[in-house]
Amino acid sequence: MTDSTSPDPGLDERHRERMQRKKAIVDAKIESAQAEGGLILVHTGNGKGKSSSAFGMVARALGHGMKVGVVQFIKGALPTGEELFFRRFPEEVRFHAMGEGYTWNTQDRARDVAKAQAAWALAREMLADESLGLLVFDEINIALKYRYLDVQQVIADLHQRPPMQHVVLTGRAAPPELIEVAHTVTEMGLIKHAFKQGFRAQRGIEL
Amino acid sequence: MTDSTSPDPGLDERHRERMQRKKAIVDAKIESAQAEGGLILVHTGNGKGKSSSAFGMVARALGHGMKVGVVQFIKGALPTGEELFFRRFPEEVRFHAMGEGYTWNTQDRARDVAKAQAAWALAREMLADESLGLLVFDEINIALKYRYLDVQQVIADLHQRPPMQHVVLTGRAAPPELIEVAHTVTEMGLIKHAFKQGFRAQRGIEL
């Protein structure tokens, strides 16, 4: 079947017919998807948007009156825009940033493991707090990749959480075990990046 | 070169060496990327996170004291979590949602074109306002795909914006002309989605 793209007298009518078919399909899909429950979401891949998408969900959750917990596993010494912003709402957002980055900045594996474990201890507290409707474990996948954290322990703790709590886990190279237990997994693919065109990381975009 | 994954006495030392090499590469890249300027970012693909990533950047920008403009080209009659949340900050966020969705819900192409054009008129006003550091044109790619808007006109207007203004354009099926002029393009790829496992769209996650 070909689909003419040049405007012609039948365009509006064909558009209507196509949209009617589409509406029927979408309605049927929505009808069959009625389950509720806390989701595990993973954002991985080499592209931009893994963390910012998680923080967009934080905004969305706050808009619905939910409370949110955030643990950032890798950010550097300077507070990011999202930290500066969400710290405005201490009653609604429990925000923990590890403070100093690890991996290529520290070159001290034992310290990195200790820091990641301390961050996970906080994450576990949040996973036991049913007043928190959404948790973000930002860049945790890096800690899993370098085995600073044990993926089976992380998964076991995730499965103990309150039934309606959502958890978003971000970072490149999500381990297959985590992808297996997640409900929604998105791979952010890099098609182009301003950095490769000589632009430094900019406030509001990457920072 | 093979990379042993089982813990052994040399692990910490090899980790240190690998991280030192990585730091040198990252430092050199940062050194060479010093340009500043307003970016055009595109979020496309079939996966989750195109809009939420844009709203995470809104939070990030607000954390740095920037002002933000948002035009939502497709959202339905009910306000989303991000709209409910960002409308709390009328001095910092200029938020416009088209109000009623189009395409499969309306089945009236002429009306859809008129609504998309009206939304673009607002977008153009924001593109002329240098007090706005970040703009989000959410789901505009759908309007471009159905030719409710002319991509060449949109690109011409984008190129007229203030030099430090960033613009994020989201939605499936971004046209190649837009990808060509963008600095950063991310394709959100669907690996798994809770919807296909019977979960309905949930507040804080999709809504």
Side-chain angles (χ1 to χ4, degrees):
Chain A
M1 191 166 60
T2 60
D3 185 11
S4 166
T5 53
S6 57
D8 67 57
L11 179 62
D12 284 6
E13 182 52 35
R14 287 201 308 282
H15 180 82
R16 191 191 336 271
E17 288 169 7
R18 195 165 61 213
M19 291 299 110
Q20 281 174 341
R21 288 195 298 274
K22 182 156 184 167
K23 179 167 168 36
I25 291 166
V26 170
D27 286 351
K29 280 191 188 168
I30 290 171
E31 186 67 30
S32 71
Q34 291 298 334
E36 276 191 288
L39 301 179
I40 298 174
L41 301 100
V42 172
H43 299 170
T44 192
N46 292 325
K48 187 172 157 38
K50 298 180 288 293
S51 297
S52 50
S53 175
F55 289 107
M57 281 185 243
V58 172
R60 217 166 250 172
L62 295 175
H64 291 298
M66 295 159 71
K67 293 190 180 184
V68 177
V70 177
V71 179
Q72 291 195 296
F73 279 79
I74 199 175
K75 296 294 167 173
L78 286 178
T80 55
E82 62 266 23
E83 180 175 355
L84 291 167
F85 182 66
F86 288 119
R87 282 201 190 279
R88 288 195 206 168
F89 317 100
E91 302 297 314
E92 296 166 85
V93 183
R94 190 174 159 197
F95 201 109
H96 176 77
M98 252 183 43
E100 282 174 83
Y102 41 43
T103 69
W104 58 85
N105 280 321
T106 62
Q107 302 160 21
D108 179 343
R109 189 172 194 278
R111 199 188 74 167
D112 289 356
V113 170
K115 291 178 79 75
Q117 298 278 354
W120 185 249
L122 276 164
R124 287 189 74 182
E125 278 178 32
M126 294 180 180
L127 285 165
D129 182 350
E130 67 180 2
S131 77
L132 298 171
L134 172 68
L135 304 184
V136 174
F137 299 154
D138 188 37
E139 300 286 9
I140 190 174
N141 292 341
I142 297 287
L144 292 166
K145 179 188 172 190
Y146 286 117
R147 296 164 193 260
Y148 299 164
L149 299 176
D150 175 55
V151 67
Q152 295 304 342
Q153 181 63 52
V154 165
I155 289 170
D157 291 340
L158 288 174
H159 283 152
Q160 293 295 317
R161 75 193 192 286
M164 289 306 297
Q165 190 180 61
H166 304 296
V167 187
V168 189
L169 304 101
T170 82
R172 293 180 187 213
E177 300 91 331
L178 186 61
I179 288 173
E180 176 66 29
V181 302
H183 300 92
T184 295
V185 179
T186 307
E187 179 161 13
M188 277 65 175
L190 177 71
I191 296 189
K192 273 173 132 175
H193 200 298
F195 186 64
K196 300 207 173 182
Q197 295 155 64
F199 285 89
R200 67 177 187 77
Q202 290 184 84
R203 291 192 306 173
I205 304 300
E206 284 91 12
L207 302 178
Chain B
M1 193 164 61
T2 60
D3 185 12
S4 166
T5 54
S6 57
D8 68 56
L11 179 62
D12 284 5
E13 181 52 34
R14 287 201 308 280
H15 180 81
R16 192 192 335 270
E17 288 169 8
R18 195 166 60 214
M19 292 299 109
Q20 281 173 343
R21 287 195 299 274
K22 183 156 184 169
K23 178 165 168 39
I25 291 166
V26 170
D27 286 351
K29 279 191 188 166
I30 290 171
E31 186 67 30
S32 72
Q34 290 299 334
E36 277 192 288
L39 301 179
I40 297 174
L41 301 100
V42 172
H43 299 170
T44 192
N46 292 325
K48 186 171 158 38
K50 298 181 288 292
S51 297
S52 50
S53 175
F55 289 107
M57 281 184 246
V58 172
R60 215 166 253 172
L62 294 175
H64 290 298
M66 295 159 70
K67 293 191 178 183
V68 177
V70 176
V71 179
Q72 290 195 297
F73 280 79
I74 201 177
K75 295 293 166 170
L78 286 178
T80 54
E82 62 266 23
E83 180 175 355
L84 291 167
F85 181 66
F86 288 118
R87 282 200 191 281
R88 288 195 206 169
F89 317 100
E91 302 297 313
E92 295 165 84
V93 183
R94 191 174 159 196
F95 201 109
H96 175 77
M98 253 183 42
E100 283 174 83
Y102 42 40
T103 68
W104 58 85
N105 280 320
T106 63
Q107 301 161 22
D108 179 343
R109 189 173 196 278
R111 199 189 73 166
D112 288 357
V113 170
K115 290 177 79 75
Q117 298 278 353
W120 186 249
L122 276 164
R124 287 189 74 182
E125 277 179 33
M126 294 180 180
L127 286 165
D129 182 351
E130 67 180 3
S131 77
L132 298 171
L134 173 67
L135 304 184
V136 174
F137 299 153
D138 187 38
E139 300 286 9
I140 190 174
N141 293 340
I142 297 286
L144 292 166
K145 179 187 172 188
Y146 285 117
R147 295 164 195 261
Y148 298 164
L149 298 176
D150 175 52
V151 67
Q152 294 303 342
Q153 181 63 52
V154 165
I155 289 170
D157 292 341
L158 287 175
H159 283 152
Q160 294 295 315
R161 76 192 191 285
M164 289 306 297
Q165 190 180 62
H166 304 296
V167 187
V168 189
L169 304 101
T170 82
R172 292 181 187 213
E177 299 92 330
L178 186 61
I179 288 173
E180 176 66 28
V181 301
H183 300 91
T184 296
V185 179
T186 307
E187 179 161 14
M188 277 66 175
L190 176 72
I191 296 190
K192 273 172 130 175
H193 201 296
F195 186 65
K196 301 208 173 181
Q197 295 156 63
F199 285 89
R200 68 175 186 79
Q202 291 184 83
R203 292 192 305 173
I205 304 300
E206 284 91 12
L207 302 178

